[in-house]
């Protein structure tokens, strides 16, 4: 059996609350001192009954609920590589970047004081159509069946509007698989340009720091005058034509100290989608330290941004989306870090590449012009060959929190996600030093946790992709166990779309005979691509099929195993389960195993209890279901006395059993959303319909 570490770290927060956090998984809970004492006893291996006897006024059910929270919030983790990526059968295939950032010109009508690209010095350096076409062709070749994204950057890309029109027309031959966006200062937007952007579904980001005191001192025209009037004119033209856009502001010390004025300005101009980034300390951004912003300044500014976002999104129909807060909410409250720029390794070289105006390739557009991060040129060799041969790609993809001096022992390293590679390189010496973003994250993350205790709706108010109600547990029964008619792959794929399955919902694939359901692995890949929590339910007699090891190999989130639970077959069945468990150890897999066992007196004995203790991890589960025993209470009391270290929960039961036994074990909610061949529309049913069928 794989023993657990003691991974939980404790931080004292306000109001005498204790934050329990696992730095390796990012799991956390906000607890009081009594709960902290119980958690530390659970961690040290003290049995539930002993904890109960030592804890005055704490029920067995309360201890179970706390163990359940530790389990579901990823606070207890086995000694496996928690950073291991989920990997299905397609892992043998190479995946290539799908985002290309094209510097289609280094010319600019502005001369921003902090420009990291030093744009506007060479006003004739435009990208040619041949180079832009080559990038698109290469990306489409490397990503068959996928959409690719092309961001047109500068300088000011509208200076090279001729190329934009050319590239849009050229990309049409790929049947809408090329998604084009543009980052602009908007000062050159005309009715013609806005209409073109609207008609061709080009996504738009506008660079704007705020009202005159900030915009006109930082984003100046080539003649040194302020650019606010021109930018606002362009914004109003975009709005007139119904072009949706988001605003990106650079947070200098001046902006941070006057953030309320900036927010007032945005909202007064009907700008509700915006985000801020600290200036990069390279290019002209490295020339004036008075513009630099500290982590504390960013934190104080974001506290005010937070207050405005929550207030607005609670009471107003027009909602504010602020990317940094939305991403932090996703990381904290959904345990998901989806923004590639705050991951380690980040998207550089993996999800995206930057292309200079002459076709030189860099791991990220932030590094364009820095020879240390150049991969090659798009005209000299195929991109996949350049990537395979590049030492900088290998070095970039090997970046790890556990290798960074500043991240290695940080309790926030999983929730923080990391710091933009370029910011880290130019300001933090590649993980050796804390930078302003590190300092900000260490203050903002606990602040949001404390605010969450006051307002449970907080995650949804900051990020509308986080549900404001309990997500569904979805079971897909592939067959009825009586004939060879099953839900096939195409139907499964359609069902996920028809039922609008969200990435945060749990999907269980259930089959009486997986030998007839050959598409199960492909179904798991579909769920993996949607980032859904995937569960496979295995039925009894087929447990020794070698195909089941594929589920371990795929690192499926959870495997439910329901053995034949009678005296004649149970020992053979458990032997087959043990083989799967041993294979999990061999493969260093993170898949959790849940054994479904009935509440039957003649099944539960010392031999079964010892098997569970010897083979299951504390993070695995025993799922109990009622199966007609005359006295379930006495059986549950008997199971409790075995002091199983594995988490045990009752998942299928009658109301009478619940009322009699709720103080003995924890009882799980029984409602699930079941989809089967007879009802593709799905219905809410009791879990026992699946377990006992």
């Amino acid at each position: 059996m794989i023993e657990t570490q003691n991974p939980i770290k404790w931080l004292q927060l306000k109001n005498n609350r204790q934050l329990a956090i696992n730095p390796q998984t990012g799991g956390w809970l906000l607890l009081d001192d009594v709960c902290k004492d119980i958690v530390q006893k659970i961690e040290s291996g003290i049995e539930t009954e002993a904890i109960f006897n030592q804890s005055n006024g704490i029920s067995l059910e309360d201890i179970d609920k706390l163990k359940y929270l530790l389990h579901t919030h990823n606070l207890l983790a086995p000694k496996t590589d928690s950073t291991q990526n989920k990997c299905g059968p397609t892992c043998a295939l190479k995946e290539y970047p799908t985002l290309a950032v094209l510097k289609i010109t280094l010319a600019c009508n502005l001369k921003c004081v902090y420009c990291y690209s030093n744009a506007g010095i060479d006003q004739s350096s435009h990208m040619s159509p041949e180079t832009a076409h080559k990038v698109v062709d290469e990306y489409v070749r490397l990503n068959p069946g996928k959409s690719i994204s092309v961001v047109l950057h500068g300088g000011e890309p509208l200076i090279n509007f001729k190329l934009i029109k050319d590239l849009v027309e050229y990309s049409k031959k790929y049947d809408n698989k090329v998604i084009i966006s543009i980052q602009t200062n908007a000062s050159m937007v005309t009715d013609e340009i806005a209409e073109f952007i609207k008609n061709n579904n080009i996504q738009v980001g506008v660079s704007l720091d705020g009202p005159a005191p900030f915009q006109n001192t930082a984003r100046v025209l080539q003649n040194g005058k302020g650019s606010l009037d021109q930018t606002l004119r362009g914004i109003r033209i975009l709005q007139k034509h119904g072009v949706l856009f988001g605003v990106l502001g650079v947070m200098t010390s001046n902006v941070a100290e006057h953030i309320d004025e900036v927010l007032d300005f945005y909202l007064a101009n009907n700008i509700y989608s915006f985000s801020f980034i600290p200036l990069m300390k390279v290019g002209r951004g490295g020339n004036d330290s008075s513009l630099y912003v500290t982590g504390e300044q960013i934190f104080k500014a974001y506290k005010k941004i937070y207050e405005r976002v929550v207030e607005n999104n609670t009471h107003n129909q027009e909602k504010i989306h602020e990317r940094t807060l939305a991403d932090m909410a996703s990381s904290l409250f959904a345990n998901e870090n989806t923004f590639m720029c705050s991951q380690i390794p980040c998207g550089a070289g993996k999800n995206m590449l930057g292309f200079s105006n002459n076709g030189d390739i860099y791991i990220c557009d932030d590094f364009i012009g820095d020879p240390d991060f150049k991969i090659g040129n798009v005209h000299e060799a195929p991109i996949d060959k350049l990537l395979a041969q590049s030492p900088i790609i290998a070095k970039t993809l090997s970046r790890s929190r556990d290798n960074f001096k500043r991240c290695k022992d940080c309790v926030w390293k999983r929730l923080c996600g990391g710091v933009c590679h370029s910011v880290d390189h130019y300001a933090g010496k590649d993980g050796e030093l804390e930078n302003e973003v590190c300092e900000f994250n260490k203050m903002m993350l606990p602040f949001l946790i404390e605010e969450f205790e006051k307002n449970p709706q907080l995650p949804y108010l900051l990020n509308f992709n986080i549900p404001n109600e309990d997500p569904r547990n979805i079971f897909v029964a592939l067959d009825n166990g009586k004939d060879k008619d099953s839900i096939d792959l195409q139907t499964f794929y359609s069902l996920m779309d028809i039922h609008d399955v969200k990435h945060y919902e749990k999907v269980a694939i259930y089959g009486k005979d997986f030998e007839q359901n050959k598409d199960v692995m492909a179904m798991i890949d579909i769920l993996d691509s949607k980032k859904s929590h995937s569960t496979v339910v295995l039925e009894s007699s087929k447990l020794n099929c070698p195909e089941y090891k594929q589920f371990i190999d795929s690192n499926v989130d959870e495997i439910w195993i329901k053995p034949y639970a009678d005296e004649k077959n149970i020992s053979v069945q458990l032997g087959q389960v043990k083989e799967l468990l041993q294979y999990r150890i061999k493969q260093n897999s993170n898949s959790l195993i849940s054994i479904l066992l009935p509440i039957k007196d003649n099944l539960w004995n010392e031999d079964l209890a010892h098997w569970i203790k010897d083979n299951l991890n504390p993070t695995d589960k025993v799922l109990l279901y009622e199966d007609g025993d005359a006295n379930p209470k006495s059986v549950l009391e008997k199971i409790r006395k075995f002091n199983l270290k594995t988490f045990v929960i009752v998942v299928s039961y009658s109301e009478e059993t619940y009322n009699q036994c709720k103080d003995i074990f924890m009882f799980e909610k029984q409602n699930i959303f079941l989809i089967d061949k007879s009802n593709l529309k799905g219905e809410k049913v009791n879990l026992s319909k699946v377990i006992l069928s």
Side-chain angles (χ1 to χ4, degrees):
M1 184 175 80
I2 301 174
E3 297 292 335
T4 57
Q5 309 174 64
N6 290 340
I8 298 176
K9 306 299 180 184
W10 296 89
L11 296 178
Q12 179 75 50
L13 299 183
K14 296 177 182 177
N15 301 322
N16 294 318
R17 303 295 276 172
Q18 299 281 350
L19 178 68
I21 184 169
N22 182 333
Q24 292 298 329
T25 66
W28 62 272
L29 286 171
L30 201 55
L31 303 170
D32 58 23
D33 289 335
V34 173
C35 288
K36 177 181 178 180
D37 180 62
I38 295 174
V39 168
Q40 289 177 325
K41 290 175 179 176
I42 293 171
E43 270 198 289
S44 63
I46 298 176
E47 296 172 345
T48 302
E49 282 65 27
I51 297 174
F52 170 73
N53 293 330
Q54 297 171 20
S55 305
N56 185 30
I58 304 298
S59 68
L60 289 168
E61 182 190 20
D62 288 336
I63 298 171
D64 272 350
K65 286 182 177 178
L66 193 50
K67 292 175 81 172
Y68 182 68
L69 289 172
L70 293 175
H71 177 87
T72 56
H73 287 261
N74 298 317
L75 276 150
L76 296 177
K79 284 185 179 178
T80 56
D81 181 7
S82 62
T83 65
Q84 178 178 319
N85 292 323
K86 292 183 64 174
C87 184
T90 58
C91 279
L93 302 175
K94 284 185 175 290
E95 292 190 358
Y96 295 99
T98 56
L99 171 62
V101 181
L102 275 58
K103 295 280 188 181
I104 65 172
T105 182
L106 290 180
C108 193
N109 60 327
L110 270 60
K111 194 174 182 180
C112 300
V113 298
Y114 46 59
C115 180
Y116 70 93
S117 296
N118 279 320
I121 295 175
D122 182 353
Q123 297 288 46
S124 61
S125 53
H126 299 342
M127 178 176 284
S128 68
E130 292 75 21
T131 297
H133 296 175
K134 182 69 173 177
V135 173
V136 169
D137 291 341
E138 280 286 275
Y139 264 62
V140 172
R141 177 182 69 82
L142 293 174
N143 293 283
K146 293 182 181 180
S147 296
I148 66 166
S149 298
V150 178
V151 179
L152 306 180
H153 218 280
E156 172 48 52
L158 291 181
I159 289 178
N160 199 1
F161 186 56
K162 180 179 178 181
L163 176 62
I164 296 174
K165 291 191 292 184
D166 173 88
L167 190 60
V168 168
E169 187 63 30
Y170 183 80
S171 299
K172 288 179 181 178
K173 72 176 186 177
Y174 290 119
D175 298 326
N176 298 317
K177 290 184 178 178
V178 181
I179 301 168
I180 296 178
S181 59
I182 183 171
Q183 185 67 34
T184 174
N185 61 44
S187 65
M188 298 181 67
V189 172
T190 62
D191 286 300
E192 176 196 356
I193 289 174
E195 187 175 354
F196 179 84
I197 288 172
K198 178 69 174 180
N199 292 341
N200 290 282
N201 298 311
I202 297 176
Q203 301 174 5
V204 179
V206 174
S207 302
L208 174 66
D209 286 353
F214 315 106
Q215 179 78 3
N216 286 343
T217 55
R219 296 187 181 274
V220 297
L221 300 171
Q222 285 288 330
N223 60 12
K225 294 182 179 180
S227 63
L228 179 61
D229 290 344
Q230 291 89 331
T231 294
L232 276 182
R233 183 182 65 238
I235 284 174
R236 292 183 181 117
I237 294 173
L238 292 173
Q239 291 170 332
K240 181 179 71 173
H241 287 269
V243 175
L244 299 178
F245 62 90
V247 158
L248 179 65
V250 173
M251 187 169 286
T252 60
S253 57
N254 196 24
V255 168
E257 294 297 324
H258 300 89
I259 196 67
D260 278 325
E261 296 174 44
V262 176
L263 297 176
D264 288 341
F265 174 80
Y266 283 170
L267 299 181
N269 285 281
N270 295 314
I271 297 169
Y272 285 84
S273 177
F274 52 83
S275 59
F276 298 92
I277 56 171
L279 67 85
M280 288 177 56
K281 299 174 182 177
V282 65
R284 290 198 290 272
N287 295 337
D288 188 353
S289 61
S290 69
L291 298 174
Y292 297 173
V293 63
T294 67
E296 186 173 3
Q297 284 177 311
I298 302 175
F299 172 62
K300 288 179 178 178
Y302 260 93
K303 282 178 67 176
K304 294 180 179 179
I305 298 170
Y306 161 84
E307 291 168 359
R308 295 289 286 273
V309 171
V310 170
E311 173 66 21
N312 180 86
N313 292 355
T314 301
H315 300 292
N316 295 339
Q317 186 173 359
E318 188 76 51
K319 306 299 183 185
I320 294 175
H321 172 80
E322 200 288 324
R323 187 178 66 193
T324 298
L325 290 177
D327 289 335
M328 280 191 159
S330 179
S331 179
L332 272 175
F333 306 115
N335 201 24
E336 271 193 342
N337 185 3
T338 57
F339 183 42
M340 69 173 180
C341 294
S342 60
Q343 298 173 352
I344 298 179
C346 65
K350 180 176 65 173
N351 305 107
M352 61 91 69
L353 294 169
F355 296 82
S356 71
N357 62 297
N358 68 351
D360 286 344
I361 308 172
Y362 296 81
I363 62 169
C364 170
D365 66 293
D366 285 353
F367 290 113
I368 287 178
D370 189 331
D372 290 340
F373 295 92
K374 179 181 172 182
I375 298 168
N377 188 285
V378 71
H379 296 294
E380 72 184 35
I383 288 178
D384 46 340
K385 183 177 180 180
L386 293 172
L387 292 175
Q389 296 175 345
S390 171
I392 186 59
I393 286 290
K395 181 179 178 181
T396 298
L397 297 183
S398 68
R399 297 173 77 241
S400 167
R401 301 175 185 87
D402 292 326
N403 294 334
F404 283 178
K405 181 178 180 180
R406 64 139 194 272
C407 297
K408 188 174 182 180
D409 298 318
C410 178
V411 298
W412 301 107
K413 64 182 177 180
R414 186 65 51 183
L415 292 170
C416 158
V419 176
C420 167
H421 189 1
S422 58
V423 171
D424 191 35
H425 177 71
Y426 293 118
K429 292 190 177 179
D430 288 325
E432 288 299 307
L433 302 176
E434 283 193 353
N435 54 53
E436 63 273 15
V437 179
C438 282
E439 296 166 357
F440 162 64
N441 287 338
K442 286 184 176 182
M443 290 183 273
M444 196 69 197
L445 289 167
F447 170 77
L448 289 176
I449 289 174
E450 291 172 337
E451 291 296 299
F452 171 65
E453 186 179 23
K454 304 174 190 175
N455 184 359
Q457 286 293 305
L458 180 62
Y460 176 73
L461 293 173
L462 299 180
N463 187 329
F464 307 129
N465 290 320
I466 298 176
N468 60 349
E469 57 186 20
D470 288 340
R472 295 173 296 180
N473 285 333
I474 301 168
F475 272 68
V476 182
L478 301 180
D479 61 71
N480 58 17
K482 299 176 183 178
D483 54 49
K484 296 298 183 181
D485 189 23
S486 301
I487 292 176
D488 60 22
L489 180 62
Q490 185 58 50
T491 303
F492 180 83
Y493 185 86
S494 298
L495 287 170
M496 296 299 99
D497 284 340
I498 291 170
H499 291 289
D500 192 24
V501 175
K502 307 294 187 184
H503 66 274
Y504 48 77
E505 294 180 315
K506 296 181 180 180
V507 180
I509 304 172
Y510 174 74
K512 286 287 186 180
D513 185 352
F514 278 160
E515 287 186 319
Q516 79 179 60
N517 296 294
K518 299 296 186 181
D519 294 328
V520 173
M521 292 308 306
M523 294 176 184
I524 292 172
D525 283 346
I526 289 173
L527 296 177
D528 192 32
S529 68
K530 291 177 174 288
K531 301 188 184 301
S532 295
H533 180 102
S534 55
T535 301
V536 178
V537 183
L538 305 185
E539 273 290 318
S540 53
S541 62
K542 304 295 182 180
L543 293 182
N544 61 343
C545 290
E547 288 81 5
Y548 291 154
K549 292 181 179 179
Q550 294 179 17
F551 305 128
I552 301 292
D553 292 335
S554 72
N555 236 357
V556 65
D557 295 296
E558 191 170 345
I559 302 174
W560 285 22
I561 301 178
K562 183 188 174 189
Y564 281 139
D566 57 73
E567 294 180 64
K568 179 181 177 181
N569 293 295
I570 189 66
S571 60
V572 174
Q573 293 275 282
L574 292 180
Q576 294 168 350
V577 174
K578 184 174 181 178
E579 288 184 16
L580 287 175
L581 293 167
Q582 291 174 336
Y583 186 74
R584 178 178 67 172
I585 296 173
K586 178 182 176 182
Q587 298 302 105
N588 197 32
S589 169
N590 290 327
S591 296
L592 299 181
I593 301 294
S594 296
I595 309 292
L596 289 113
L597 294 171
I599 307 171
K600 294 179 69 171
D601 186 61
N602 62 356
L603 173 71
W604 286 93
N605 53 40
E606 291 288 346
D607 289 341
L608 177 58
H610 282 304
W611 185 93
I612 292 172
K613 291 178 181 179
D614 291 342
N615 292 285
L616 293 182
N617 292 334
T619 48
D620 292 325
K621 290 185 285 189
V622 173
L623 308 176
L624 300 175
Y625 61 93
E626 196 170 7
D627 191 19
D629 198 278
N631 190 352
K633 183 175 182 180
S634 65
V635 182
L636 288 174
E637 289 174 338
K638 180 181 180 180
I639 296 171
R640 172 63 80 184
K641 290 178 182 177
F642 285 133
N643 293 318
L644 303 175
K645 290 181 170 32
T646 298
F647 184 76
V648 183
I649 187 169
V650 184
V651 297
S652 178
Y653 50 88
S654 66
E655 185 176 351
E656 180 181 3
T657 297
Y658 172 76
N659 291 330
Q660 289 180 352
C661 307
K662 61 184 179 180
D663 293 331
I664 302 175
F665 272 113
M666 185 177 171
F667 285 68
E668 177 67 285
K669 293 179 181 178
Q670 294 194 89
N671 290 335
I672 63 169
F673 187 76
L674 176 65
I675 303 169
D676 58 24
K677 284 289 292 185
S678 64
N679 187 4
L680 296 179
K681 292 182 178 180
E683 61 178 335
K684 289 184 178 180
V685 301
N686 192 295
L687 183 58
S688 60
K689 181 174 180 178
V690 173
I691 293 177
L692 300 178
S693 61

